[in-house]
Amino acid sequence: RCACNHMNGRIDELMIWDKSITATDLTDSYTGTEADLIAYYDFDDSPACRLNSEVVQLTDKANQHHGSLVNFQFYDTCESNWAAGHNQKPCLQ
């Protein structure tokens, strides 16, 4: 099995569109109700850097294309599936 399709990083927000997005579009704020938005995951389903590794469901805020989180590597002493981002408070460790 190929070990080449893994991401080493953190994601704060993911949107899947049915159209091309411009650089200007990326600076806009979104609610999840926009036309042509297929899926919107804001990754705020659970607090960051808390003991919540059992929370593995990812909620689609646009169209109910919910997902499951698998193969997470926990950072430092943070046993969390969630990274702090613009929509959450920073990690306090």
Side-chain angles (χ1 to χ4, degrees), residues 18-84:
D18 193 23
K19 68 176 186 175
S20 298
I21 301 297
T22 67
T24 303
D25 291 332
L26 293 176
T27 62
D28 292 340
S29 294
Y30 296 99
T31 62
T33 59
E34 291 76 18
D36 300 314
L37 183 60
I38 295 172
Y40 173 42
Y41 306 100
D42 64 5
F43 290 83
D44 68 351
D45 297 77
S46 189
C49 288
R50 300 271 169 75
L51 294 175
N52 60 6
S53 58
E54 74 284 350
V55 181
V56 296
Q57 294 294 43
L58 185 60
T59 303
D60 174 13
K61 308 287 194 223
N63 291 305
Q64 308 298 312
H65 300 293
H66 306 310
S68 297
L69 305 173
V70 296
N71 295 329
F72 271 75
Q73 177 180 349
F74 303 118
Y75 293 93
D76 303 319
T77 59
C78 180
E79 296 290 326
S80 177
N81 287 338
W82 312 97

